[in-house]
Amino acid sequence: MQKKIYTGQPVVTLNNGVDIPALGFGVWQIDDLKVCEDAVIKAIQTGYRMIDTASIYLNETAVGNAIKNSGINRDELFITSKLWVQDHGYEKAQAAFQRTLDRLQLDYLDMYLIHWPYGDFLGAWKALEDLYHEGKIKAIGVCNFTVEKLEELKENSTVLPVINQIELHPIFQQKELQVYDRENNIITQPWSPLGNGNAELLNNESLKAIADKYNKTVAQVILRWHLQEGSVIIPKSVTPSRIEENFSVFDFELTEDEMNATRSLDTGKRLFFDPKDAEWEQKMLKSVADI
């Protein structure tokens, strides 16, 4: 397998041998397509080489335009998208994947993820396995999967997920799930790595002291903590200065005491949706978006 080279940043090697940049750019909640396109172009100009989108974000077209207009060769980028719940099942997943490729104006994806573990996700996974074997996807993974769902997937599949993308930040660290991922050679990828700008987190006094020591922001300290934990992260911003700030985390290193101080902030309480919540599951199964 020919390795991609991502200049100036560390990579993490997935369980199938594919390298992924350790720091990428997420576009969740960027609804305005022009704003999204401009933000992705700015991110690529800054040095980001991994872009994470999803069909349900309704901005794949903007991401595709940004890729085309960025001035960077496609082969130098790592592009991820995700399959929404309404498209679970083998045939639906195949069709949805092609729609995603068309919107992104690409002929392959670097990574494709199942967004939530509901409905016929096993049929969808079979479709992803076939697309992976055909070379249309370089790596396949999941989002929001619990240990139980990962076990169910493992028992009914031939390809192990490379990544499990989950809510993870200093306030909610999902340590048991991280251990399971690690033991099964699955990379944990935090979504909302900064806790969606949670004020309590970003104003934490111990994190402020660490940030002052390195002449960094609290957000940069948190992102650095994620990287040193071995995670692959996808912070989001539409502000050019923040996009640059979030990428400027490779020039310092936290001590083990500082890592432990950040680990100690875990409350075990989610800020977002619980995959085990039956009401949330039913809501997702009934959701239909124009994608």
Side-chain angles (χ1 to χ4, degrees), residues 32-88:
D32 185 297
L33 296 187
K34 182 64 166 66
V35 170
C36 182
E37 180 178 342
D38 290 346
V40 173
I41 289 175
K42 173 61 180 178
I44 293 173
Q45 291 172 342
T46 300
Y48 295 80
R49 290 296 177 264
M50 187 243 294
I51 309 298
D52 179 280
T53 184
S55 60
I56 196 63
Y57 300 169
L58 304 179
N59 57 21
E60 288 174 317
T61 299
V63 171
N65 288 339
I67 293 167
K68 183 175 67 174
N69 296 322
S70 68
I72 298 294
N73 290 335
R74 165 68 182 100
D75 289 347
E76 298 178 42
L77 299 172
F78 192 105
I79 307 301
T80 298
S81 194
K82 309 179 193 78
L83 179 74
W84 191 239
V85 177
Q86 72 185 38
D87 293 316
H88 285 184

Side-chain angles (χ1 to χ4, degrees), residues 163-228:
I163 262 179
N164 186 19
Q165 190 181 112
I166 58 174
E167 179 184 351
L168 198 163
H169 40 76
I171 291 176
F172 185 66
Q173 297 178 29
Q174 304 215 60
K175 291 175 182 176
E176 289 184 7
L177 183 52
Q178 287 198 66
V179 169
Y180 177 92
D181 286 349
R182 198 174 301 117
E183 289 176 346
N184 287 273
N185 204 18
I186 300 169
I187 298 296
T188 300
Q189 183 175 36
W191 57 259
S192 201
L194 299 174
N196 204 36
N198 180 270
E200 179 182 348
L201 177 60
L202 295 180
N203 291 307
N204 179 273
E205 290 301 326
S206 64
L207 293 181
K208 281 185 174 181
I210 297 170
D212 289 344
K213 172 186 172 181
Y214 295 105
N215 195 28
K216 294 290 184 178
T217 65
V218 170
Q220 288 172 312
V221 168
I222 293 171
L223 295 177
R224 183 69 211 181
W225 172 76
H226 281 297
L227 291 173
Q228 288 182 221

